[in-house]
Amino acid sequence: MSMPAPYTTEQGAPRPEEAVDALSVENLEVVYHHTIQVLKGLSLRVPQGQIVALLGSNGAGKSTTLKAISGLLPLERGHIETGRVLILGKDAGTSPPHVLARRGLAHVREGRCIFPDLTVEENLIAGSYALPRGKPDYDIVYNYFPKLTERRKLRAGFLSGGEQQMLAIGRALVAQPSLMLLDEPSLGLAPRVVAEIFGIIERVNREQNTAILLVEQNAVAALSIASYGYILEEGRVMLDGTVDALLDSPDVQRFYLGHGTGSDGAVQSYRTVKHYKRRKRWLS
Amino acid sequence: MTFLDFYEYSLIGLLLGGLYALIGLGFVLVYKATRVLNFAMGEFMMMGAYFYFSATVLMGLPWWAGVGIALGASAVLALGVERLVLRPLVGQPTISIVMATIGLASILHGTAVMVWGADQWRIEPIVPRAPFFLGDAMLPGQLVWGFGLASMIILGFVLFFRYARGGVAMRATATDPHTAMSLGIDAPRNTAITWVLAALISTIAGIMVGAMTNVSPELGLVGLAVIVVVILGGLDSIPGTIIAGLIIGWIESMSVAVFGSGVREIVPFAVILIIMMVRPFGLFGTPEIERL
Ligand SMILES: Nc1ncnc2c1ncn2[C@@H]1O[C@H](COP(=O)(O)OP(=O)(O)OP(=O)(O)O)[C@@H](O)[C@H]1O
Ligand SMILES: [Mg+2]
């Protein structure tokens, strides 16, 4: 059953000596409803202060990976069969999400998941619960996302998609996490807004020294700010390497960056990859 | 019916409606937090009234000690129920949890019969009985005081949810518990607190109702009438519940004035039937919520 990842170019992201990883996922196998296996032995690392991209097509198991890390998995009837998750070197074990959040982990879920009936300000107040102690500093958020400032008193449900994504990230920033998991922040946003938000993500990473695991379908955008990337296929890492190595890889160029097919990246490449994989299985 | 009758019965109905709104608040809190219509709410009222009765009548304690004991005992009861019955059912279909609350209602009812017997008991009202006069209308003292207390409690909750940090966390938990947890909010604890708050509200309402009528295992039946109020109010809306409480109270009072007290139990249900045919998600409810 276990198939070696044939395209692995390096053994994980480069790591400064002695420093403990912000996140280390070891050999994770995840099953939903005790029957559907989604992750089939996944390992990845996010060194402190770095942005690592996790790419892959629909249903590859990207969101599942994030849920397994943040403790949301059991709430959605999923289970970690084997493997473990280390956050800042500490085994996450079976800690519930709110405990992990207070340990410095922030999970910005797919589809933003802002509280639509709460105002912008109240959404940020909800985010302050992950702060173990001390007074929350909402100005940090308004500094990174000035657009939210004038919307403070507005119900979050009335924000535009881009503003909602900003709020979701800002809400996570209130607690000044050491590790952020971002699930498809570009989802449904215009290229200009994506560029704006990714610029801010990069600034947060640089200025707050926040380690980020960035899940994306938009490979071009993700690789433009990440230093390392993993490509997930059907619950396994099919390929990983530094961003430069990935950008040089012909497979990545073809199926994730859309080179040669002349497409815009994500959507079309999904179909081609499916096709390609089927062909590969025939040949092997 | 003279104009004075109309005026007086209207006021009495609205006062009664305030009490319904308070009981309805207990339903709404639990519904918002868990999407469950708690059919045992009336029985929580009954237990609260019996705790008060035991402390003041059987043990001879003063009223304030009785209130303290009743609130404390109800809180413990609610915590136990949440821990032993409801938490293990998290993730089960809503209908099973609703069935569990119906089962819980009959267990509490049976317990009350076993412990205190099926007799009716009197408790002394805490507030003065002396009637109030508003123009020519004479209003029963207990009803006016009860309305005042209910208004204060409801206002307190509204302010808490609107302005307190903990209120924001509870609203966040109610909308999306998983996301709330991912933000560091202890959602299971908030849910347990919600049950306790609902039980405290029921206890206060139970003592008031018990003093106006009698304390008996059947006291919980008021809860059934209030289910009409919360369904009309839209299940998840506090303002909706307040308005629905006033409407049902007024209609009930008017129909008693016109047709006599025999119709009292039927009227709320007849009203609900008509309104739900026109607006299936209640007067103020969120349209997409699941009907039960
Ligand atoms: N709660 C669940 N119960 C059962 N199966 C699930 C559940 N959540 C996800 N899955 C399945 O697991 C697989 C991986 O889903 P996941 O959401 O992790 O994919 P993804 O890589 O994030 O995809 P996308 O890019 O579409 O968001 C899918 O086949 C999905 O149907
Ligand atoms: Mg996903």
Side-chain angles (χ1 to χ4, degrees):
Chain A
M1 181 76 196
S2 89
M3 184 170 60
Y7 292 98
T8 299
T9 51
E10 298 184 27
Q11 290 303 309
R15 161 166 48 177
E17 285 310 309
E18 306 293 337
V20 58
D21 287 324
L23 172 72
S24 165
V25 172
E26 298 172 1
N27 194 30
L28 208 57
E29 298 197 9
V30 164
V31 173
Y32 281 112
H33 304 279
H34 298 289
T35 47
I36 313 159
Q37 181 161 15
V38 172
L39 298 187
K40 301 162 183 168
L42 174 117
S43 301
L44 60 80
R45 303 195 298 108
V46 180
Q48 282 190 45
Q50 293 205 22
I51 300 181
V52 172
L54 180 58
L55 310 174
S57 49
N58 289 107
K62 304 181 298 295
S63 299
T64 301
T65 306
L66 298 193
K67 287 186 270 186
I69 296 166
S70 71
L72 282 172
L73 198 60
L75 302 176
E76 300 190 5
R77 311 200 141 216
H79 296 273
I80 296 181
E81 293 278 291
T82 56
R84 56 180 196 156
V85 172
L86 302 177
I87 297 168
L88 283 168
K90 227 175 133 190
D91 197 332
T94 52
S95 304
H98 61 275
V99 173
L100 295 176
R102 290 171 192 183
R103 250 188 242 163
L105 171 72
H107 180 178
V108 180
R109 302 175 65 193
E110 187 173 1
R112 330 194 211 291
C113 295
I114 47 121
F115 302 113
D117 295 333
L118 270 55
T119 64
V120 167
E121 214 164 35
E122 288 170 339
N123 268 275
L124 299 184
I125 292 175
S128 74
Y129 273 77
L131 207 60
R133 69 192 71 81
K135 245 176 98 72
D137 179 9
Y138 300 116
D139 289 340
I140 285 196
V141 181
Y142 294 125
N143 263 327
Y144 282 111
F145 302 104
K147 275 189 184 155
L148 295 179
T149 316
E150 62 219 68
R151 310 253 193 288
R152 268 171 208 253
K153 302 284 181 197
L154 191 70
R155 273 175 52 177
F158 293 138
L159 296 178
S160 73
E163 290 163 346
Q164 292 191 6
Q165 187 61 59
M166 293 179 186
L167 178 59
I169 298 173
R171 188 175 62 176
L173 277 182
V174 174
Q176 297 181 283
S178 43
L179 171 65
M180 266 217 278
L181 314 175
L182 298 179
D183 200 341
E184 298 201 35
S186 76
L187 194 75
L189 302 182
R192 191 179 45 78
V193 183
V194 173
E196 183 183 354
I197 289 181
F198 275 56
I200 296 170
I201 293 173
E202 192 181 25
R203 259 184 67 208
V204 167
N205 162 256
R206 198 161 11 93
E207 295 168 6
Q208 310 289 323
N209 200 32
T210 313
I212 294 172
L213 178 59
L214 175 60
V215 161
E216 263 302 338
Q217 300 235 16
N218 187 336
V220 179
L223 293 180
S224 72
I225 62 169
S227 59
Y228 198 89
Y230 293 84
I231 293 175
L232 205 59
E233 280 294 338
E234 295 178 2
R236 289 191 185 86
V237 174
M238 175 188 117
L239 175 66
D240 70 314
T242 61
V243 165
D244 293 336
L246 289 177
L247 291 174
D248 282 343
S249 148
D251 286 327
V252 173
Q253 288 183 1
R254 247 163 80 206
F255 303 122
Y256 290 92
L257 304 178
H259 295 179
T261 57
S263 84
D264 58 339
V267 183
Q268 192 177 348
S269 69
Y270 167 53
R271 262 183 253 123
T272 19
V273 168
K274 274 278 145 85
H275 193 77
Y276 168 79
K277 285 191 69 98
R278 230 178 283 132
R279 200 166 58 99
K280 216 179 75 181
R281 228 174 272 138
W282 271 108
L283 295 175
S284 65
Chain B
M1 188 164 48
T2 67
F3 178 75
L4 177 60
D5 283 344
F6 175 80
Y7 174 58
E8 192 171 87
Y9 276 105
S10 292
L11 285 178
I12 289 178
L14 293 178
L15 293 176
L16 191 65
L19 209 56
Y20 285 170
L22 177 65
I23 303 169
L25 178 64
F27 281 100
V28 172
L29 289 182
V30 168
Y31 184 85
K32 279 173 91 82
T34 60
R35 305 287 131 180
V36 167
L37 193 52
N38 173 19
F39 279 89
M41 193 62 74
E43 276 62 34
F44 275 107
M45 286 174 61
M46 173 209 59
M47 293 301 282
Y50 268 119
F51 291 142
Y52 180 78
F53 161 76
S54 304
T56 53
V57 177
L58 299 183
M59 295 159 68
L61 297 171
W63 69 267
W64 47 266
V67 171
I69 288 173
L71 291 177
S74 306
V76 172
L77 180 68
L79 273 181
V81 164
E82 199 276 331
R83 212 40 192 260
L84 301 175
V85 183
L86 298 151
R87 202 172 288 195
L89 286 176
V90 166
Q92 300 297 315
T94 307
I95 189 73
S96 344
I97 307 179
V98 170
M99 293 310 283
T101 70
I102 294 176
L104 182 65
S106 58
I107 290 173
L108 291 177
H109 184 268
T111 309
V113 173
M114 227 162 60
V115 177
W116 292 284
D119 302 332
Q120 307 212 341
W121 298 95
R122 269 174 49 78
I123 51 175
E124 275 307 305
I126 297 169
V127 295
R129 281 174 199 280
F132 285 76
F133 292 92
L134 201 67
D136 287 329
M138 189 179 88
L139 307 171
Q142 286 199 63
L143 213 46
V144 176
W145 285 101
F147 180 85
L149 186 60
S151 311
M152 303 265 292
I153 294 174
I154 294 173
L155 182 68
F157 271 97
V158 169
L159 293 178
F160 171 75
F161 283 124
R162 185 69 33 214
Y163 297 110
R165 182 168 179 259
V168 171
M170 292 188 87
R171 273 154 65 209
T173 307
T175 345
D176 184 348
H178 294 180
T179 298
M181 286 180 86
S182 78
L183 295 171
I185 295 172
D186 190 344
R189 187 169 133 261
N190 278 351
T191 307
I193 292 177
T194 305
W195 277 90
V196 170
L197 290 176
L200 296 182
I201 290 172
S202 313
T203 298
I204 294 170
I207 297 173
M208 291 200 282
V209 172
M212 286 177 211
T213 58
N214 277 307
V215 179
S216 79
E218 268 54 62
L219 190 146
L221 290 179
V222 186
L224 279 184
V226 177
I227 285 185
V228 171
V229 169
V230 291
I231 291 177
L232 179 61
L235 282 177
D236 60 353
S237 154
I238 295 180
T241 303
I242 296 171
I243 294 170
L246 296 176
I247 291 175
I248 295 284
W250 183 81
I251 292 177
E252 186 180 316
S253 181
M254 289 320 286
S255 46
V256 168
V258 176
F259 305 110
S261 59
V263 298
R264 175 161 241 146
E265 271 80 40
I266 314 164
V267 172
F269 295 97
V271 172
I272 193 76
L273 215 70
I274 295 165
I275 292 184
M276 297 312 282
M277 277 167 13
V278 185
R279 283 182 73 87
F281 42 87
L283 288 179
F284 305 93
T286 323
E288 68 268 40
I289 57 178
E290 189 185 342
R291 280 268 82 81
L292 269 178

